[in-house]
PDB file of all heavy atoms in Angstrom:
ATOM      1  N   MET A 532     119.902  93.488  91.927  1.00 71.00           N
ATOM      2  CA  MET A 532     118.547  93.896  92.298  1.00 71.00           C
ATOM      3  C   MET A 532     118.537  95.291  92.912  1.00 71.00           C
ATOM      4  O   MET A 532     117.636  96.102  92.642  1.00 71.00           O
ATOM      5  CB  MET A 532     117.945  92.887  93.279  1.00 71.00           C
ATOM      6  CG  MET A 532     117.601  91.545  92.654  1.00 71.00           C
ATOM      7  SD  MET A 532     117.089  90.326  93.893  1.00 71.00           S
ATOM      8  CE  MET A 532     115.638  91.145  94.551  1.00 71.00           C
ATOM      9  N   ALA A 533     119.542  95.598  93.741  1.00 68.00           N
ATOM     10  CA  ALA A 533     119.618  96.930  94.344  1.00 68.00           C
ATOM     11  C   ALA A 533     119.799  97.998  93.279  1.00 68.00           C
ATOM     12  O   ALA A 533     119.157  99.056  93.313  1.00 68.00           O
ATOM     13  CB  ALA A 533     120.758  96.979  95.357  1.00 68.00           C
ATOM     14  N   ALA A 534     120.683  97.696  92.300  1.00 69.00           N
ATOM     15  CA  ALA A 534     120.892  98.665  91.225  1.00 69.00           C
ATOM     16  C   ALA A 534     119.635  98.827  90.377  1.00 69.00           C
ATOM     17  O   ALA A 534     119.250  99.949  90.016  1.00 69.00           O
ATOM     18  CB  ALA A 534     122.066  98.221  90.355  1.00 69.00           C
ATOM     19  N   LEU A 535     118.978  97.701  90.065  1.00 66.00           N
ATOM     20  CA  LEU A 535     117.758  97.775  89.253  1.00 66.00           C
ATOM     21  C   LEU A 535     116.632  98.491  89.988  1.00 66.00           C
ATOM     22  O   LEU A 535     115.767  99.108  89.370  1.00 66.00           O
ATOM     23  CB  LEU A 535     117.304  96.369  88.857  1.00 66.00           C
ATOM     24  CG  LEU A 535     118.215  95.635  87.864  1.00 66.00           C
ATOM     25  CD1 LEU A 535     117.700  94.224  87.621  1.00 66.00           C
ATOM     26  CD2 LEU A 535     118.309  96.397  86.552  1.00 66.00           C
ATOM     27  N   ALA A 536     116.627  98.399  91.313  1.00 69.00           N
ATOM     28  CA  ALA A 536     115.593  99.093  92.082  1.00 69.00           C
ATOM     29  C   ALA A 536     115.899 100.579  92.231  1.00 69.00           C
ATOM     30  O   ALA A 536     114.992 101.408  92.316  1.00 69.00           O
ATOM     31  CB  ALA A 536     115.453  98.449  93.462  1.00 69.00           C
ATOM     32  N   THR A 537     117.203 100.931  92.253  1.00 71.00           N
ATOM     33  CA  THR A 537     117.604 102.322  92.491  1.00 71.00           C
ATOM     34  C   THR A 537     117.600 103.141  91.216  1.00 71.00           C
ATOM     35  O   THR A 537     117.104 104.281  91.194  1.00 71.00           O
ATOM     36  CB  THR A 537     118.994 102.358  93.143  1.00 71.00           C
ATOM     37  OG1 THR A 537     118.985 101.572  94.327  1.00 71.00           O
ATOM     38  CG2 THR A 537     119.385 103.788  93.494  1.00 71.00           C
ATOM     39  N   LEU A 538     118.155 102.588  90.135  1.00 73.00           N
ATOM     40  CA  LEU A 538     118.307 103.370  88.906  1.00 73.00           C
ATOM     41  C   LEU A 538     116.975 103.845  88.328  1.00 73.00           C
ATOM     42  O   LEU A 538     116.853 105.006  87.927  1.00 73.00           O
ATOM     43  CB  LEU A 538     119.084 102.547  87.873  1.00 73.00           C
ATOM     44  CG  LEU A 538     120.559 102.276  88.239  1.00 73.00           C
ATOM     45  CD1 LEU A 538     121.224 101.412  87.191  1.00 73.00           C
ATOM     46  CD2 LEU A 538     121.315 103.592  88.404  1.00 73.00           C
ATOM     47  N   PRO A 539     115.922 102.998  88.266  1.00 77.00           N
ATOM     48  CA  PRO A 539     114.640 103.527  87.785  1.00 77.00           C
ATOM     49  C   PRO A 539     114.099 104.658  88.654  1.00 77.00           C
ATOM     50  O   PRO A 539     113.488 105.607  88.147  1.00 77.00           O
ATOM     51  CB  PRO A 539     113.712 102.304  87.822  1.00 77.00           C
ATOM     52  CG  PRO A 539     114.615 101.135  87.720  1.00 77.00           C
ATOM     53  CD  PRO A 539     115.851 101.540  88.451  1.00 77.00           C
ATOM     54  N   LEU A 540     114.335 104.555  89.968  1.00 71.00           N
ATOM     55  CA  LEU A 540     113.887 105.626  90.859  1.00 71.00           C
ATOM     56  C   LEU A 540     114.604 106.929  90.545  1.00 71.00           C
ATOM     57  O   LEU A 540     113.989 107.998  90.472  1.00 71.00           O
ATOM     58  CB  LEU A 540     114.122 105.210  92.313  1.00 71.00           C
ATOM     59  CG  LEU A 540     113.769 106.255  93.380  1.00 71.00           C
ATOM     60  CD1 LEU A 540     112.273 106.575  93.324  1.00 71.00           C
ATOM     61  CD2 LEU A 540     114.148 105.757  94.763  1.00 71.00           C
TER      62      LEU A 540
END
Side-chain angles (χ1 to χ4, degrees):
M532 289 173 61
L535 291 177
T537 305
L538 293 178
L540 177 62

